[in-house]
Amino acid sequence: MKHVTIKDVARCLNVSVSTVSRAFNDKYDIRKDTKEMILKTAHEMGYYPNPIAKKLSQNRSLNIGVVVPEIMNGYYSEVAIVLQEFFISKGYQVLLMQSDENEDQELKNVKTLINNMVDGLIIAPTIGYKNASYYIEKHNEGYPIVFLNRIDETLQASKVIFNNVKWSFFATEHLIREKYKKIYHLSGYKNLCVSSERIQGFKKAMNKHNFPKENYKIIETGLLAKEGMDAIEDLIFQQDLPDAFFCVNDMVAIGAMKKLKDNGYKIPEDVAFVGFTETRIAKLVTPELSSVKQPTYDMAKKSGEMLLSRIKNPNSEIETVIFNGEFNIRKSSVRDSSIPAT
Amino acid sequence: MKHVTIKDVARCLNVSVSTVSRAFNDKYDIRKDTKEMILKTAHEMGYYPNPIAKKLSQNRSLNIGVVVPEIMNGYYSEVAIVLQEFFISKGYQVLLMQSDENEDQELKNVKTLINNMVDGLIIAPTIGYKNASYYIEKHNEGYPIVFLNRIDETLQASKVIFNNVKWSFFATEHLIREKYKKIYHLSGYKNLCVSSERIQGFKKAMNKHNFPKENYKIIETGLLAKEGMDAIEDLIFQQDLPDAFFCVNDMVAIGAMKKLKDNGYKIPEDVAFVGFTETRIAKLVTPELSSVKQPTYDMAKKSGEMLLSRIKNPNSEIETVIFNGEFNIRKSSVRDSSIPAT
DNA sequence: ACCGTTTCCGAAACCGTTTCCGAAAACCGA
DNA sequence: TCGGTTTTCGGAAACGGTTTCGGAAACGGT
């Protein structure tokens, strides 16, 4: 149980601790054969450098903080996995915290991580704008932060984002091309930037195709399946169902579809659906859900790389990278059912 | 950016560093008013103890390693969230790693965490038995480890597990009571203990009710939806469909249901389904899926508590806690459809 | 007033590294 | 052989805390 320290190794070999340290740190001022000799016996003695002492003397924690809004719905789980793997390969450890879509929790998480002296932060913010100024202040102080996804494009900070406007425009236009005449958008919270961007894309498509105002509508729901269900319940009660829905994400779409199916509606014959931020369940529900797929892996990895470069050079130029995705058309949104099963 | 250290505080107040340290550590030998005075000015100066230095001098990392098989399917995400929250509240940080259901990756993860000097480990092992001996060796050396879920009941180690045999017995018996006459079990890997325990429960029910051998079957699949789909494809091809399935988990069940629906079968009229380890999607698929729900929150929290007590007292008696769950019957497994929607 | 406790605090050692500085050793050309 | 470089290494000071030890001050009882 007792740990072998650098001193033990030094004493055993009759060299100084600094020499042993040099052997382990690829330093130039050590003779090649003494280095090898030291490494060899150190290994035999079961020595490896104490990471905590290393952190102290180098004044860095080799920890990265990752703050995501949630990790239950697949998307941010994947983000977490990618970042975890990436940073481990670079010698860092990841401290992952989730905010449960709560601004205050998020701020607490960030402060906890800063107090724990993480060398950098990747933040995928939740709903609301309260914390932005604090983050920007830290960012400007030179604290390495990279934002991911849920962040306003105009914000002056390093960030990796998705072109929500464009792809929600495409998704909506697809419904129009399929000749749906009355299209509602189940949007997320308006004070969540990805939601408002997706609303913009939706409106843009409506305008381009001169949809009359009475034939489209934006209904603010939330991000959960339950909220999609609630919205449908209302619409059924008000006898105000459109023939197609474009939803802020897959979970809302799936909840909405479920509620409609439970009430005897057929999808897509009676009502068509398109989701967003494709999750793995999109292909498991009946009918399979059309959705916009984001390049999760690439986006997460890019944010990791950007963070490392910010850590190396905290006052480097800020950089914004905008990703594009792909739109996967499936049975939930096409009139003829000739789409082959996957 | 420059950090305020304990020395700065001491110098500023004309006291010694040890006094400042005492003020921050609830030690007895300090006068109440000097303590308050120190805390007050320290706070004003923006001082807080450097956690890394603290860790070094106290010889502990205040880090907990959590190793789970995956975090994409909801169950272990929840485990991660619960543990994260629990340990943060106790002053620890959690290092979460996922093994992607790969034994070798798991061992690598554990070793990485041990090298990083975590104060303790919670492991939810993946498939296979290769690593068990290494873990047990560490466990016996006094390294604080608690196993969660995926671990053999007979293993001499601290663990929190679910009574799989019992609840898979109940789930199976429910299908029998509903008068299904030909019941197949889509099992997970046989060398995954939870799978084999669920197989046991299934067999037990079959035996109790004297099912003839030709009316039940155990088909080894995996843990993913895709594998449920593949199994169904085979069965359809072989024209060997039963009238009910009991599945090792919800994802396999959902995959299987999807494939059947795509081929025109009605659920539960043609084929009934029961899942296990209930996930949030169980209530979102059509029809809603009957499943055995595990007390995820309680189990995760219990494992955290057990780990803390092992950290305090590494050679305490090993303890095994077995949890029970509940069986939620939904439309996927009942003959008359009078089950109310939830 | 005296002595024995108790309370409170400072000095210094320690945790296990890295790194700076300087000195010994080796090398090299003349 | 000698002086000047260049390698190679050891000593010691950091890094920022905690903890042990011992002594001074305060206290209390006789």
Side-chain angles (χ1 to χ4, degrees):
Chain A
M1 206 56 191
K2 189 70 188 60
H3 251 137
V4 185
T5 76
I6 200 172
K7 278 178 200 157
D8 299 325
V9 178
R11 201 176 311 123
C12 172
L13 286 172
N14 263 327
V15 295
S16 73
V17 290
S18 37
T19 310
V20 180
S21 173
R22 274 187 276 258
F24 271 87
N25 289 292
D26 277 336
K27 281 296 165 62
Y28 42 91
D29 52 350
I30 185 172
R31 216 169 51 213
K32 194 142 180 261
D33 54 340
T34 66
K35 172 173 169 176
E36 277 162 8
M37 186 263 290
I38 288 174
L39 287 181
K40 186 164 159 288
T41 35
H43 182 73
E44 284 168 10
M45 294 174 71
Y47 167 79
Y48 61 88
N50 179 325
I52 299 177
K54 190 174 218 159
K55 289 168 186 185
L56 179 61
S57 76
Q58 296 189 149
N59 249 330
R60 52 186 198 150
S61 67
L62 289 171
N63 277 134
I64 299 291
V66 174
V67 181
V68 297
E70 48 89 18
I71 58 169
M72 289 298 290
N73 289 326
Y75 181 78
Y76 285 104
S77 312
E78 193 177 343
V79 169
I81 292 171
V82 173
L83 288 174
Q84 167 76 30
E85 202 166 319
F86 174 76
F87 281 113
I88 285 274
S89 78
K90 306 289 181 183
Y92 288 83
Q93 285 285 340
V94 170
L95 298 180
L96 173 69
M97 302 194 79
Q98 62 113 22
S99 318
D100 203 19
E101 297 288 11
N102 176 324
E103 259 186 301
D104 300 322
Q105 181 62 44
E106 179 184 292
L107 187 60
K108 251 173 68 181
N109 289 346
V110 168
K111 288 191 170 168
T112 303
L113 290 168
I114 290 180
N115 282 353
N116 272 275
M117 311 210 135
V118 291
D119 293 340
L121 275 168
I122 289 182
I123 306 180
T126 177
I127 300 136
Y129 300 111
K130 277 202 310 202
N131 302 332
S133 60
Y134 176 77
Y135 299 156
I136 292 300
E137 184 189 322
K138 284 281 164 193
H139 185 279
N140 292 342
E141 278 176 18
Y143 207 103
I145 300 181
V146 171
F147 294 94
L148 178 63
N149 256 349
R150 307 268 206 96
I151 191 85
D152 201 281
E153 194 178 330
T154 61
L155 208 75
Q156 288 297 309
S158 292
K159 53 190 178 297
V160 175
I161 53 184
F162 184 73
N163 198 332
N164 285 292
V165 179
K166 176 166 154 188
W167 289 93
S168 91
F169 173 83
F170 285 162
T172 309
E173 207 170 39
H174 154 74
L175 287 172
I176 298 172
R177 287 224 183 80
E178 288 287 324
K179 308 259 188 305
Y180 293 103
K181 294 302 174 197
K182 191 167 186 183
I183 306 177
Y184 287 4
H185 175 39
L186 298 185
S187 89
Y189 307 101
K190 288 219 171 86
N191 59 343
L192 175 64
C193 61
V194 292
S195 299
S196 71
E197 287 164 16
R198 287 170 202 171
I199 290 174
Q200 275 177 53
F202 176 75
K203 281 184 181 165
K204 216 167 153 179
M206 289 295 130
N207 290 336
K208 175 176 168 192
H209 294 271
N210 295 313
F211 252 61
K213 275 236 183 300
E214 62 274 19
N215 283 356
Y216 69 95
K217 197 181 271 186
I218 292 161
I219 299 168
E220 183 169 352
T221 61
L223 300 170
L224 306 176
K226 172 78 169 58
E227 294 162 313
M229 300 175 85
D230 292 347
I232 294 299
E233 220 163 52
D234 287 354
L235 291 175
I236 290 178
F237 178 70
Q238 295 161 21
Q239 304 197 349
D240 180 24
L241 280 177
D243 52 10
F245 281 103
F246 166 52
C247 302
V248 64
N249 68 14
D250 282 11
M251 287 317 282
V252 168
I254 288 168
M257 283 165 66
K258 176 69 166 55
K259 183 59 87 176
L260 282 170
K261 285 190 284 182
D262 285 353
N263 282 276
Y265 292 87
K266 297 245 173 302
I267 295 166
E269 292 81 358
D270 299 331
V271 189
F273 270 91
V274 167
F276 211 96
T277 314
E278 181 172 321
T279 59
R280 300 200 304 189
I281 353 174
K283 284 194 274 191
L284 291 174
V285 290
T286 319
E288 297 179 14
L289 178 63
S290 302
S291 195
V292 172
K293 182 163 185 171
Q294 296 174 229
T296 318
Y297 178 89
D298 295 333
M299 290 179 68
K301 186 156 177 231
K302 182 69 190 171
S303 71
E305 286 164 354
M306 282 170 62
L307 185 62
L308 284 191
S309 89
R310 285 235 109 204
I311 289 173
K312 248 187 209 144
N313 186 357
N315 293 312
S316 56
E317 277 300 300
I318 64 173
E319 188 186 357
T320 294
V321 182
I322 303 177
F323 275 81
N324 281 292
E326 57 188 61
F327 181 44
N328 292 321
I329 298 174
R330 303 203 180 86
K331 291 191 181 166
S332 71
S333 68
V334 289
R335 290 231 113 111
D336 78 87
S337 53
S338 63
I339 295 279
T342 27
Chain B
M1 204 58 190
K2 188 69 190 63
H3 250 137
V4 185
T5 76
I6 199 172
K7 278 177 201 156
D8 300 325
V9 178
R11 201 175 312 123
C12 172
L13 285 172
N14 264 325
V15 295
S16 73
V17 291
S18 37
T19 309
V20 181
S21 173
R22 273 187 278 256
F24 272 87
N25 288 294
D26 277 336
K27 282 293 165 61
Y28 40 91
D29 51 352
I30 184 170
R31 215 169 52 215
K32 198 153 176 242
D33 53 340
T34 66
K35 171 172 170 176
E36 277 162 9
M37 187 261 292
I38 290 175
L39 286 182
K40 186 164 158 289
T41 37
H43 182 73
E44 284 167 11
M45 296 174 69
Y47 168 79
Y48 62 88
N50 179 323
I52 300 177
K54 190 174 217 160
K55 288 167 185 183
L56 178 60
S57 74
Q58 294 189 150
N59 248 331
R60 52 185 196 151
S61 67
L62 290 171
N63 278 138
I64 299 291
V66 173
V67 181
V68 297
E70 48 89 18
I71 58 168
M72 289 298 291
N73 289 327
Y75 181 78
Y76 285 104
S77 312
E78 192 177 344
V79 169
I81 293 171
V82 173
L83 288 174
Q84 167 77 28
E85 201 165 321
F86 174 76
F87 281 113
I88 284 273
S89 78
K90 304 290 181 184
Y92 288 83
Q93 286 285 341
V94 170
L95 300 180
L96 173 69
M97 302 194 79
Q98 62 112 24
S99 318
D100 203 20
E101 297 288 11
N102 176 324
E103 256 184 306
D104 301 322
Q105 180 62 43
E106 179 183 292
L107 187 61
K108 250 173 70 181
N109 289 345
V110 169
K111 287 190 171 169
T112 303
L113 290 168
I114 290 181
N115 281 355
N116 272 275
M117 311 209 133
V118 291
D119 292 339
L121 275 168
I122 289 181
I123 306 179
T126 178
I127 299 136
Y129 301 111
K130 277 202 309 202
N131 302 332
S133 60
Y134 176 77
Y135 299 155
I136 292 300
E137 183 189 322
K138 284 282 165 191
H139 185 279
N140 291 342
E141 277 175 18
Y143 206 103
I145 301 181
V146 171
F147 294 94
L148 178 62
N149 255 348
R150 307 267 206 97
I151 191 84
D152 201 281
E153 193 179 330
T154 62
L155 208 75
Q156 288 299 307
S158 291
K159 53 191 179 296
V160 174
I161 52 184
F162 183 73
N163 198 331
N164 285 293
V165 178
K166 178 167 152 188
W167 289 93
S168 90
F169 172 84
F170 284 163
T172 310
E173 206 170 39
H174 155 72
L175 288 171
I176 299 172
R177 286 226 184 79
E178 287 287 324
K179 306 262 189 307
Y180 292 103
K181 295 300 175 201
K182 190 165 187 182
I183 306 177
Y184 286 3
H185 176 36
L186 298 186
S187 88
Y189 307 102
K190 289 218 170 90
N191 59 344
L192 175 64
C193 61
V194 291
S195 300
S196 72
E197 286 165 17
R198 287 170 202 171
I199 291 174
Q200 275 177 53
F202 176 75
K203 281 186 181 163
K204 217 166 150 181
M206 289 295 129
N207 290 337
K208 175 176 167 193
H209 293 272
N210 294 314
F211 253 61
K213 276 235 184 300
E214 62 275 18
N215 285 354
Y216 69 94
K217 197 180 271 187
I218 292 161
I219 300 169
E220 184 170 352
T221 60
L223 300 171
L224 305 177
K226 173 77 169 61
E227 294 162 314
M229 299 175 86
D230 292 348
I232 295 299
E233 220 163 52
D234 286 355
L235 291 174
I236 289 178
F237 178 71
Q238 294 160 21
Q239 305 197 347
D240 180 22
L241 280 177
D243 53 11
F245 280 102
F246 166 51
C247 303
V248 65
N249 68 14
D250 281 11
M251 287 318 281
V252 167
I254 288 169
M257 282 165 67
K258 177 68 167 56
K259 183 59 88 179
L260 282 169
K261 285 190 285 182
D262 285 352
N263 281 277
Y265 292 88
K266 297 246 171 302
I267 296 165
E269 292 80 357
D270 298 332
V271 189
F273 270 90
V274 167
F276 211 96
T277 313
E278 180 173 320
T279 59
R280 300 200 305 189
I281 353 175
K283 284 195 274 190
L284 291 175
V285 291
T286 318
E288 297 179 15
L289 178 63
S290 301
S291 194
V292 172
K293 182 164 186 169
Q294 294 174 230
T296 318
Y297 179 88
D298 295 334
M299 290 179 69
K301 186 157 177 228
K302 182 68 190 172
S303 71
E305 285 164 355
M306 281 170 62
L307 184 61
L308 284 190
S309 90
R310 284 235 109 203
I311 288 172
K312 248 188 209 145
N313 187 356
N315 294 311
S316 56
E317 276 300 300
I318 65 173
E319 189 186 357
T320 294
V321 181
I322 303 178
F323 275 81
N324 281 292
E326 56 189 61
F327 181 45
N328 292 321
I329 298 173
R330 303 202 180 86
K331 291 190 180 165
S332 71
S333 67
V334 290
R335 291 230 112 111
D336 77 86
S337 51
S338 63
I339 296 278
T342 28

